[in-house]
Amino acid sequence: MTLFIQNDATGAGAGNLNPDDARISLSIISNLDTGLGQLPFVGNRQEVTYVRTLEGIPPTRLDDLVNTNFNPDYGSGPQTVPIVLVAVLENFTLNDGRSILTIGGTALPPQGSGLAGADLNNTNDCLVIYDTTLNNGNGYCVARDGTGGTLDLEISNPMLLYHELSHASRVVTNSLLALSNICDPSSPEENAAIVDENDIRTQIANTNGETPVLRDPGIHCGGDCGGSTITCCIIASVASGSPLSPEVAAFRSMRDGLLRKSEIGFAFFQSLHHDYYGFSPQVSKLMAQHPALRPLVLEGFVRPLVSILHLIELYALGDGSAKTLGEQFIADHIDRESGAMRLNMICLAHDVLNGDDAELTDVQRELARLLYPALESEHLKWSLVEPFQIYQSALHTYLNGCATEQIGKQMYEAICSWAGRMPLDDVWASLAISELQGELEILENLLLHTPETRASFRDRLQKKFDDVTAVEIALRNKESKFGGNE
């Protein structure tokens, strides 16, 4: 076996890693092949295994990389060269001090091999380093084929990894093509990697029922997208079959539109991300092993969450009225028969979430076990479970024939109550008075719409941080500004 996932920066540089993304990106490269797996970590590395069951170019190439022992001769005799994946976060720097954000990804030949980039590698392995944050959320845009160089085509994590694996395949066979610093036209080596990248673009598009949009192999230039639309929620990626799906884009919109607008929101997202990745790779693997689970997860969890998060976004960024929420809910559910089918699937998903229904299958019980952390995490419960329950209740009310006004009022009151229960992270205690007041303004404008909700939230904040002077002063200034009521 020759492909490994590394969980630290040893030999590659310095910074934080996200090895879970490597597992999920490999799963999408394999087209969710049930034969893909990983052994337990030994030291800082986890061996990837693959008994391929699917046809297609990306799965076949991945099979070759996993199951071939590469022994290239770089001039001093044959040597065994594993491929080691180093999936990094935005603060990662290479051994020469460059930020990963300046290049996106790289495949570094073993030290002493004499190949380009080997001087940045302190190991005898081929290191595949790639940025799982996609330019810290701004995205990497490249040239769309047929446009003459327009940089408007985004790269997803599986595409970025697959591109670098193309380079790695030639490193470990000592067949690298000519390289240059010129991006237009592409060097022969980059041209070959882009041609390979288009294979995974084609596979993802076919999985999603779309026409493939390919990258221009003759142009290696890239740029900042100004905000990525394709990196978010690995469960949604696997359940929908694509990191480019509308479901994934909806989660990204909620993340960037609300959670990352402030220091408090960003800190909340970091905690949510940590808890979410505590179970989501295992859920994604279970779906890959049991494809029959995907409709349940997609229709019972993912799409209902997309619907309610869209309404919460409307509440936060639109006019936020009960009337608007009711009208939008009705507009989203014109087909009552489809709504009834979704409610049935949601009820099954609810049973799975609770894990206490005697009629659940063994696989559904395993899913319930994996989802249990979502009920234990304050951040997951608030951001995923409670919105799911708000949507379930609203759909039930709608199917019972209640008027638009009643549905809107019910959702508005439920969202207001939910917003006031937002978890309080320790970052509140680290901010200056002026920063705290600014954060409160943002939250109150976005989520805390009513005087009652604001008062409840401030009371919780005061009780949790009763020994933090800055919080006390910021809250007192708020009360003084509004004369104790709003």
Side-chain angles (χ1 to χ4, degrees), residues 449-466:
H449 286 191
T450 68
E452 295 79 13
T453 304
R454 293 175 182 178
S456 172
F457 184 82
R458 292 176 194 169
D459 183 59
R460 290 177 55 233
L461 189 62
Q462 186 173 30
K463 287 180 179 178
K464 178 163 184 176
F465 300 104
D466 60 352

Side-chain angles (χ1 to χ4, degrees), residues 116-337:
D119 56 328
L120 298 178
N121 187 348
N122 295 334
T123 75
N124 294 318
D125 310 313
C126 176
L127 300 181
V128 173
I129 308 169
Y130 74 104
D131 172 23
T132 65
T133 73
L134 292 183
N135 195 16
N136 200 20
N138 292 312
Y140 296 107
C141 274
V142 293
R144 187 185 300 264
D145 198 18
T147 65
T150 302
L151 302 181
D152 65 351
L153 183 62
E154 288 194 61
I155 292 180
S156 69
N157 287 357
M159 296 170 191
L160 182 56
L161 175 56
Y162 194 74
H163 180 108
E164 298 306 330
L165 284 173
S166 174
H167 291 307
S169 69
R170 286 182 289 281
V171 168
V172 296
T173 56
N174 197 18
S175 58
L176 271 181
L177 304 174
L179 278 164
S180 73
N181 292 325
I182 300 173
C183 68
D184 186 7
S186 300
S187 67
E189 175 61 28
E190 290 298 348
N191 186 296
I194 295 171
V195 169
D196 287 346
E197 179 188 320
N198 281 336
D199 289 332
I200 190 64
R201 288 183 179 276
T202 298
Q203 175 175 286
I204 289 174
N206 290 340
T207 299
N208 210 34
E210 299 173 348
T211 301
V213 180
L214 303 180
R215 181 176 177 182
D216 187 339
I219 302 174
H220 184 238
C221 306
D224 189 314
C225 301
S228 175
T229 63
I230 59 177
T231 172
C232 196
C233 191
I234 59 173
I235 289 179
S237 295
V238 175
S240 62
S242 169
L244 303 172
S245 69
E247 291 78 17
V248 178
F251 284 110
R252 187 273 315 165
S253 177
M254 183 68 177
R255 178 199 66 193
D256 295 341
L258 294 179
L259 295 181
R260 285 183 169 174
K261 278 187 173 291
S262 69
E263 289 293 328
I264 298 300
F266 189 84
F268 174 86
F269 176 77
Q270 293 300 97
S271 296
L272 172 65
H273 183 272
H274 176 271
D275 291 351
Y276 175 75
Y277 270 91
F279 72 94
S280 55
Q282 291 77 24
V283 172
S284 300
K285 181 178 179 180
L286 187 66
M287 282 191 289
Q289 294 172 335
H290 302 278
L293 274 183
R294 288 172 61 188
L296 169 62
V297 174
L298 185 62
E299 296 296 338
F301 290 107
V302 173
R303 286 180 174 160
L305 272 173
V306 168
S307 294
I308 190 59
L309 291 179
H310 171 65
L311 290 166
I312 290 173
E313 192 172 15
L314 184 63
Y315 165 91
L317 303 177
D319 68 17
S321 69
K323 180 176 182 293
T324 299
L325 291 176
E327 290 174 348
Q328 185 61 55
F329 188 91
I330 296 299
D332 291 342
H333 299 82
I334 295 297
D335 186 348
R336 297 179 69 88
E337 183 177 349

Side-chain angles (χ1 to χ4, degrees), residues 29 31 37 79 160 220 224 228 286 372 385 397-398 403 407 436:
I29 288 170
N31 210 11
Q79 63 182 87
L160 182 56
H220 184 238
D224 189 314
S228 175
L286 187 66
Y372 183 74
V385 178
T397 300
Y398 165 66
I407 297 170
L436 284 165

Side-chain angles (χ1 to χ4, degrees), residues 380-402:
L380 288 168
K381 186 175 180 179
W382 183 80
S383 59
L384 300 179
V385 178
E386 291 185 16
F388 171 80
Q389 293 169 340
I390 292 172
Y391 177 81
Q392 182 181 13
S393 179
L395 184 58
H396 188 270
T397 300
Y398 165 66
L399 293 174
N400 279 342
C402 293

